[in-house]
Amino acid sequence: MPDLQKLYDAILNGDNKAAASITKEALAQAVEPMDLVNKYMIPAMDEVGRRFESEDCFVPELLLSARAMKGSLELIRPLLAARGTEPAGRVAIGTVQGDLHDIGKNLVASMLEGGGFEVVDLGADVSPEKFIAAIQSRRIDVVALSALLTVTMPTMKTTIEALTLAGVRQKVKVIVGGAPVTKEYAKQIGADGFAENAISAVSLVRKMLAEQPVA
Ligand code: B1M
């Protein structure tokens, strides 16, 4: 069994090679993938964020840590996606316009795939028009909006408003999430639901579609 604390250190220090090698070793030894994510990888990114806030590290270090995190997640992602059974609905997911953070969004997308949903991943910095086009062309059941910056949270509201103006709001459920987003904020901007993390996003979407299928 590899020393998993070293996975935390590798992501914190932006060492993508070490992070990938420990992740591979852990997966080969049947360590539960979500334990790697929740106990070591996310806490490392949280620590990077704290250091950034206190000016003990800067954007280049953030980028290196993000690269290490993404590399490890790429190794874990197929295992999460393989857990699904039959498609339970189609979710279009994206980080809203102006926001480049996509690690959490990618994790939510992988867990939704693993939960049996078909995921249309629109990427990061996604304009309202792109969400609208996806709804119009792909028979989307749920639109999932992610935001990591307090300054891009209001773009979730403008995206929902744009869906209404385009006449597609009633066709979909809209869920929102991301570190600064709260349940109260979700309600305030007219979203149908809020999920705090990737696991709760899956149960939320499942519950929503079972309770009240979209029009
Ligand atoms: Co940025 N950044 N960043 N950054 N960055 C934060 C978010 C910050 C909190 C750091 C800090 O100051 N402590 C801060 C935001 C402060 C604020 O707004 N209140 C910040 C800042 C300020 C910035 C810049 C402005 C810095 C600058 O340039 N001066 C800049 C903005 C760029 C832009 O977007 N326009 C910037 C840039 C970057 C990088 C590009 C360098 C890089 C992102 C790389 C990438 O994503 N490809 C980066 C990173 C890595 C971070 C931190 C350190 C880590 C984010 C992360 O990946 N976390 C972050 C600090 C932190 O979060 N601790 C920070 C791990 C990930 C798994 O968690 O994304 O929270 P998270 O996702 C979670 C949940 O939130 C939830 O589920 C996920 C899994 O549990 N979730 C959803 C997310 N989306 C969801 C959607 C759902 C449901 C749940 O349904 C729809």
Side-chain angles (χ1 to χ4, degrees), residues 1-191:
M1 161 80 74
D3 178 359
L4 295 177
Q5 188 57 35
K6 287 193 175 149
L7 176 59
Y8 174 93
D9 295 338
I11 290 178
L12 183 58
N13 299 323
D15 185 344
N16 62 325
K17 285 191 182 141
S21 131
I22 300 162
T23 305
K24 274 186 201 152
E25 206 186 326
L27 294 177
Q29 294 190 27
V31 176
E32 164 60 33
M34 282 313 285
D35 276 354
L36 295 180
V37 173
N38 289 326
K39 293 185 183 161
Y40 302 96
M41 295 162 66
I42 290 181
M45 292 306 281
D46 284 343
E47 178 57 21
V48 176
R50 270 191 290 277
R51 291 184 184 186
F52 178 74
E53 219 162 3
S54 59
E55 299 189 352
D56 290 321
C57 82
F58 300 93
V59 173
E61 285 94 343
L62 280 194
L63 281 169
L64 288 175
S65 291
R67 186 178 65 167
M69 172 88 178
K70 284 180 110 170
S72 287
L73 268 184
E74 280 311 307
L75 297 168
I76 289 172
R77 194 167 177 155
L79 298 176
L80 301 181
R83 289 178 175 184
T85 44
E86 55 197 63
R90 193 174 288 146
V91 182
I93 189 167
T95 311
V96 295
Q97 192 161 43
D99 199 324
L100 302 175
H101 296 85
D102 67 354
I103 295 173
K105 181 269 297 168
N106 292 346
L107 195 53
V108 175
S110 297
M111 290 300 288
L112 285 168
E113 278 171 2
F117 297 95
E118 187 182 328
V119 174
V120 178
D121 189 344
L122 301 172
D125 189 18
V126 181
S127 65
E129 293 71 27
K130 230 173 153 183
F131 282 109
I132 292 164
I135 298 167
Q136 287 168 338
S137 62
R138 303 288 302 272
R139 217 194 58 72
I140 299 295
D141 299 302
V142 176
V143 170
L145 306 176
S146 177
L148 261 287
L149 298 170
T150 42
V151 288
T152 55
M153 280 169 64
T155 309
M156 293 179 145
K157 181 169 185 275
T158 47
T159 302
I160 294 173
E161 286 166 355
L163 300 191
T164 304
L165 278 175
V168 295
R169 175 68 181 92
Q170 77 289 356
K171 290 180 195 276
V172 292
K173 298 284 183 193
V174 178
I175 67 163
V176 294
V181 183
T182 61
K183 197 173 180 177
E184 291 66 40
Y185 187 72
K187 209 169 168 191
Q188 193 187 316
I189 64 174

